Amino acid sequence: MDREQRAESLKRRYAGSAPAAASGMRGPGGGRQRAMQADPGKAKLKNSRATIRRIFSYLDRDKKKMFLAFFCVLVSTVSTLAASYMLRPIINTYIFPGDGRPGDPAGLLRALAVMAAVYLAGVVSNYVQSRTMLTIAQNALQRVRDDLFDKMQQLPVRFYDNNSNGDLMSRFTNDVDVLGQMLSSTLVQLFSGALSIIGTLVLMIYTNIWLTLVTLVMIPVMLRAGGAVASRSRKYFSAQQASLGAVNGYVEETVSGQKVVKVFCHEDVAKEEFQILNDDLRRNQIRAQFFGGIMGPVMNCLSQINYSLTACVGGILCVLQGFDVGGLTVFLTFSRQFSRPVNEISMQVSQVFSALAGAERVFAVMDEDPEPEDDADAVALEPMQGHVILDHVYFGYDPDKIILKDISLYAKPGQKIAFVGSTGAGKTTITNLINRFYDIQSGSITIDGVDVKHLKMDNLRQNIAMVLQDTHLFTGTVRENIRYGRLDATDEEVVQAAKTASAHSFIMRLPKGYDTELTGDGANLSQGQRQLLNIARAAVSKAPILILDEATSSVDTRTERHIEHGMDRLMKDRTTFVIAHRLSTVRNANAIMVLEKGEIIERGDHDDLLKMKGRYYELYTGMSELD
Ligand SMILES: Nc1ncnc2c1ncn2[C@@H]1O[C@H](COP(=O)(O)OP(=O)(O)O)[C@@H](O)[C@H]1O
Ligand SMILES: [Mg+2]
């Protein structure tokens, strides 16, 4: 594979989890996560209008400010035009009054003062405008971010399982940013550009129709050239964003996987792959910025040609037709000014496109299906007892691919139900169903006789304490992390929970005990210690249902036994589901379910199962040999 092909394939892999402001314009196969990408092509154009309308809906609340801003744009544009036009009477009356009369310095000074005042009005309103627009844009962005974050809190686990964190993060940051840029500057520039063009044109016609015709010939040429450059730069701009995304994605992955990189001595490979991506980024950035950069010179050149042509024709008109010198002067100023807004508008168009692409990526998240709302007749169980019944449950993450088959069980308060089985058998999946991370395909799950689908979601989850297989700690103190399990827990209860989880002694050895700050998902703790804190978090909760998913997999056997004693007290009167990788820890369970390929193949207590001499017996004796 040559370098270019490798760059392409690497980009395809990494751009998915990276900022791609112009993702909509990304080439085919742009990234790993396609779940939320808008359809390219025609559908996009149709969407654009809806997207624009939606962006404006975020500006609605600042309508008055918008009017103020646009009024200021109007004032500043008109004042610039007026001040330019004032040159004509100034020159004609005070400088070259004609008929051999001398100029009028005092009058000139007065007129110049008026002109300065007009300019000043323009400058002031320009200042007011940019301040106002900034406020409006930031207000709107705040609302967009709020909405997006709110939405993220409502999205189901399924959504997070299907989308990469990096991609989501970049929607929150990069895509919102490009939208912000558009709101704070592009909108106004487009408006003022259009106003200037129209105003200048009107004044030009008013000044001299023949000279206007010369300019009118030049306009299409300028627009054409501007459009050609803009479309090129748009293309390279989106290529640049994709490359940037790939580089970011790659860096993100190597940073978070740094240890694995080192362990497998992949530094050189990583360096090489990074260089390929980096090189690609450089190439695309040069192209994008080159085409962005030549816009100015190209337009300048055309405007120079226009200027010379106008000057020539204007001079001839002055000599032959008695066109006034003041008129010619302002006309030349106008023709100079004319190219600026044309130039600006063609530059802004690409901004608009990337902002739209960004906005679409943001709105795509907002439009994802949230977790199902509680039914109108949903009930809350206060208090919840914890009778959990699974009745002929069938479930697959993908409805066409059933993973759990015909799962039935009954768990009473005070009982400990264990799931054992090989990796991938479906143990975690069962627990995901009890707290409704996912909804089942058929069968039923009831708690205290009420189908979980008819329970208020908050009520359900508040009553289930869970230690997930993947530990997670938030940035904050140890105490705060434990208290996450129940916000109104007292300090003593936190300590008690830590003791139950056998975490107390190691916490006391931390530099600041319970007030030690944890960062980076508890990077300064051992994996086992992280698990203990997660258990403590569940222990502080008073939920009647407790789920422990391989909660002690990284904890030594002695500590594990310690926890078990603590937990036994905790489990009293609660319904507990335990998934354990060491079978010794589930020996005392009331019922052990042996799962294989999504089915319960054996069930019973430890002794029954051993007597059966089936799969459990195999697992248990196999394990004993290893222990
Ligand atoms: N979020 C998911 N989306 C799709 N399939 C999944 C998901 N999580 C797990 N699976 C699949 O479900 C099966 C059971 O997984 P799991 O319940 O996690 O097993 P375990 O018994 O090891 O906890 C596995 O085959 C796995 O590939
Ligand atoms: Mg699991």
Side-chain angles (χ1 to χ4, degrees), residues 161 397 403 422-430 438 469 549:
D161 283 350
Y397 291 96
I403 285 179
S422 44
T423 303
K427 306 180 294 289
T428 300
T429 306
I430 293 187
Y438 288 88
Q469 193 164 4
D549 191 352

Side-chain angles (χ1 to χ4, degrees), residues 67 73 79 87 98 110 114 175 221 237 245 254 325 346 524 566 571 591 606:
F67 278 119
V73 175
S79 76
L87 268 180
R110 272 197 311 276
V114 173
D175 291 323
V221 179
F237 178 73
T254 0
V325 179
S346 24
N524 43 352
M571 289 172 190
H606 179 72

Side-chain angles (χ1 to χ4, degrees), residues 67-84:
F67 278 119
L68 174 66
F70 280 89
F71 179 71
C72 287
V73 175
L74 194 72
V75 171
S76 79
T77 314
V78 168
S79 76
T80 310
L81 289 173
S84 310

Side-chain angles (χ1 to χ4, degrees), residues 340-476:
R340 194 184 45 90
V342 174
N343 188 349
E344 260 177 22
I345 288 182
S346 24
M347 297 281 275
Q348 297 299 332
V349 168
S350 68
Q351 275 274 326
V352 171
F353 272 102
S354 60
L356 283 183
E360 262 163 32
R361 278 162 56 81
V362 171
F363 293 150
V365 177
M366 290 189 191
D367 291 341
E368 284 287 317
D369 288 333
E371 282 198 295
E373 290 230 0
D374 290 338
D375 288 341
D377 55 351
V379 293
L381 292 168
E382 324 257 9
M384 192 181 275
Q385 307 289 325
H387 295 266
V388 182
I389 298 177
L390 275 71
D391 187 30
H392 299 292
V393 168
Y394 285 81
F395 170 76
Y397 291 96
D398 171 1
D400 296 330
K401 207 172 145 264
I402 293 297
I403 285 179
L404 290 181
K405 297 174 208 96
D406 201 19
I407 303 290
S408 297
L409 62 89
Y410 177 21
K412 277 190 270 218
Q415 272 190 338
K416 175 172 167 184
I417 309 291
F419 296 111
V420 301
S422 44
T423 303
K427 306 180 294 289
T428 300
T429 306
I430 293 187
T431 64
N432 283 345
L433 299 181
I434 296 173
N435 66 1
R436 263 191 99 192
F437 276 172
Y438 288 88
D439 275 332
I440 57 177
Q441 261 88 40
S442 71
S444 73
I445 299 179
T446 59
I447 295 181
D448 296 357
V450 182
D451 195 306
V452 286
K453 286 182 186 163
H454 292 300
L455 275 176
K456 293 210 165 107
M457 193 69 94
D458 280 354
N459 179 249
L460 175 69
R461 301 227 171 118
Q462 266 160 18
N463 283 291
I464 299 178
M466 202 163 174
V467 179
L468 297 169
Q469 193 164 4
D470 308 314
T471 59
H472 186 80
L473 295 167
F474 292 94
T475 303

